[in-house]
Amino acid sequence: MTSTPSKPTRDLLFPELSDSIEARIAWFRHMQENEPVRFRPEYNLWEVFRYEDVNHVLKNPGTFSVTNKTHLGLPFSFGRADIPEHKFLRGFVARFFVPGTVEARAPEYTAMVDSLLAPARVSGRMEVLGELCYPLMERAVAEMFGLRITGEGRFREWSDQMFGQLIGVRSPDHADVVGLFTEQLEERKRAPGDDLMSALLAARGQDGRLAEEKIVHMCLDLATAGNAPLSLMLAYAFVRFCRDPQLYQELRRDPSLIPGAIEEILRFDFSWFNLWRTARHDTVLGGHEIKADQYVVVWDSSANFDEEYFPQPDRFDIRRSPNPHLTFGQGMYICLGLPLVRVLGRIVLERFVTTFADIRFDAEQPLRSLDRMKDYLVSLGVVLTPSETP
């Protein structure tokens, strides 16, 4: 009698990841060399570890579908929409997230960052996630969508909830934020503004296939699920600065190194990421026959340490070039918010290294992370020395 494979969840793969980055890199290398494509019969699931194979899966959604992945309980996600719907809906919003459009808002973002850093110049202390990262994203998103977000901490709660669903450590619960977006969509009907939600309503007037419910769900996905990666990237940067003061001073002396530092943090410190697909039909990958409807998990974090593409991959190098990491995907499903992460992240770090002469851990506010996900930081207190010149 053949047993039925149990339905996999994302967190089933996390136990193999050590808390030590050195151990993770060693495991990735071992899998790349010995079992680059591994079958897990108990879950009817394949894992993929080499850069070339990971890149192939991500760039071929016609073979490896995003739609039949494990259910995340999300009302909508661009990362789960099948090819025709994804192209159709992405066309309405992509122009808001292209690098040029995001960069045009740099003066506004700079003013936001400076206002959030001002209290720390006086106090010499900051909890960077709660006092900088999430408040910045709340302001940026409110401006982009024309939202009024009332209640302290609500936006962070929504962002953590949505991203937690994406990585499999939280259960579905998004009625509150859906209600807010639905209510404010009705307001946009009566009084359109210069914001993304109003633009989507105007587009609906031209193309009736864009349902109002879909507008709400698209805004929900764009406004919340993409914010945690920026906050995590910045938190990882600040942890590095505290542990490596020389790195911080290097960026202070030459802020032009900041974009490269961001890319290397995305490659190196997001060492727990994987992306899920489902085979649409029988296919062959790395010499292995994958059957239709089997799950395919690509370890983009492992691909980021493949020495064929990253010389000395275990070395953190802010001058690494090229740096073709796959942290936020590849191909048509690459993360829509990646330009926002890069531009906002650059502005935050540029203003930070200008504003503060040094940074160190605050013993009174120790680093904290989720119990079920040690890499997901929730609190980081730092002590700061303001620079002599504001």
Side-chain angles (χ1 to χ4, degrees):
M1 182 175 179
T2 303
S3 60
T4 303
S6 56
K7 187 166 185 174
T9 58
R10 283 179 173 259
D11 56 352
L12 74 90
L13 301 180
F14 291 143
E16 285 201 71
L17 283 179
S18 168
D19 288 340
S20 161
I21 183 61
E22 292 80 12
R24 290 183 185 183
I25 295 172
W27 181 61
F28 291 151
R29 184 168 296 171
H30 171 81
M31 297 306 296
Q32 290 167 5
E33 293 175 353
N34 298 283
E35 209 170 358
V37 180
R38 174 172 71 166
F39 185 54
R40 303 282 293 273
E42 68 272 30
Y43 302 113
N44 198 30
L45 174 151
W46 294 87
E47 292 177 276
V48 185
F49 293 91
R50 285 180 182 165
Y51 187 101
E52 183 177 357
D53 294 330
V54 169
N55 197 38
H56 175 77
V57 172
L58 295 178
K59 282 192 168 182
N60 287 276
T63 299
F64 301 98
S65 170
V66 301
T67 56
N68 295 324
K69 301 183 298 183
T70 54
H71 182 60
L72 303 175
L74 298 172
F76 171 78
S77 169
F78 277 98
R80 288 174 57 85
D82 205 5
I83 296 172
E85 183 185 28
H86 182 86
K87 288 182 176 179
F88 171 69
L89 296 176
R90 191 168 180 134
F92 290 109
V93 300
R95 65 185 176 89
F96 287 88
F97 293 91
V98 295
T101 302
V102 177
E103 191 67 55
R105 293 178 175 266
E108 301 163 42
Y109 295 147
T110 301
M112 293 178 191
V113 173
D114 285 344
S115 69
L116 291 168
L117 295 181
R121 277 194 62 85
V122 177
S123 68
R125 279 184 157 81
M126 172 181 282
E127 195 287 286
V128 294
L129 283 158
E131 297 175 26
L132 172 62
C133 299
Y134 279 99
L136 172 62
M137 285 306 301
E138 180 174 336
R139 294 184 187 187
V141 165
E143 181 180 59
M144 179 179 292
F145 289 85
L147 292 177
R148 297 185 319 279
I149 304 174
T150 58
E152 185 177 354
R154 289 179 78 197
F155 180 77
R156 177 174 184 173
E157 182 180 336
W158 296 333
S159 296
D160 286 347
Q161 170 64 35
M162 296 292 286
F163 193 70
Q165 287 179 241
L166 286 172
I167 64 175
V169 298
R170 292 208 175 183
S171 302
D173 182 14
H174 35 62
D176 187 32
V177 64
V178 169
L180 174 72
F181 275 88
T182 302
E183 175 185 317
Q184 297 199 20
L185 184 71
E186 293 300 317
E187 294 181 8
R188 292 299 174 283
K189 290 181 185 178
R190 297 189 294 270
D194 183 21
D195 55 69
L196 178 55
M197 189 177 286
S198 298
L200 289 172
L201 277 172
R204 170 171 164 72
Q206 302 296 320
D207 193 328
R209 294 176 297 167
L210 185 59
E212 287 186 11
E213 181 184 45
K214 188 65 71 175
I215 292 176
V216 170
H217 292 165
M218 289 166 65
C219 290
L220 171 67
D221 183 54
L222 293 170
T224 57
N227 300 321
L230 174 66
S231 296
L232 280 174
M233 186 277 292
L234 291 172
Y236 292 153
F238 295 133
V239 168
R240 283 197 168 273
F241 297 159
C242 291
R243 291 174 175 166
D244 186 357
Q246 184 175 347
L247 170 63
Y248 185 70
Q249 297 305 324
E250 188 174 14
L251 295 182
R252 291 194 74 224
R253 289 190 299 269
D254 186 1
S256 70
L257 295 173
I258 287 175
I262 289 173
E263 298 306 314
E264 187 68 343
I265 289 167
L266 292 176
R267 180 190 77 91
F268 202 102
D269 292 328
F270 283 74
S271 59
W272 48 282
F273 262 40
N274 56 57
L275 297 169
W276 290 54
R277 299 291 187 263
T278 307
R280 294 181 187 268
H281 52 75
D282 293 356
T283 188
V284 175
L285 180 69
H288 296 270
E289 185 176 355
I290 297 176
K291 296 293 186 181
D293 297 324
Q294 287 184 326
Y295 295 109
V296 179
V297 177
V298 293
W299 282 94
D300 47 333
S301 51
S302 173
N304 289 341
F305 290 93
D306 189 328
E307 61 183 355
E308 289 192 22
Y309 291 82
F310 304 94
Q312 295 182 281
D314 55 348
R315 184 167 65 92
F316 183 85
D317 181 5
I318 63 174
R319 292 177 173 82
R320 184 179 297 277
S321 181
N323 192 345
H325 64 80
L326 302 178
T327 298
F328 287 159
Q330 188 60 277
M332 67 177 292
Y333 285 96
I334 194 168
C335 176
L336 190 62
L338 185 53
L340 188 63
V341 171
R342 285 173 167 151
V343 172
L344 258 179
R346 188 199 78 228
I347 292 171
V348 169
L349 295 185
E350 285 176 346
R351 300 308 301 151
F352 202 92
V353 299
T354 300
T355 305
F356 301 106
D358 61 50
I359 175 175
R360 59 190 185 278
F361 289 121
D362 186 347
E364 296 180 8
Q365 298 186 78
L367 177 68
R368 292 193 300 110
S369 60
L370 286 181
D371 291 337
R372 294 177 59 195
M373 173 57 64
K374 296 300 183 183
D375 294 271
Y376 195 96
L377 305 182
V378 296
S379 179
L380 171 59
V382 296
V383 176
L384 303 159
T385 301
S387 60
E388 293 183 3
T389 303

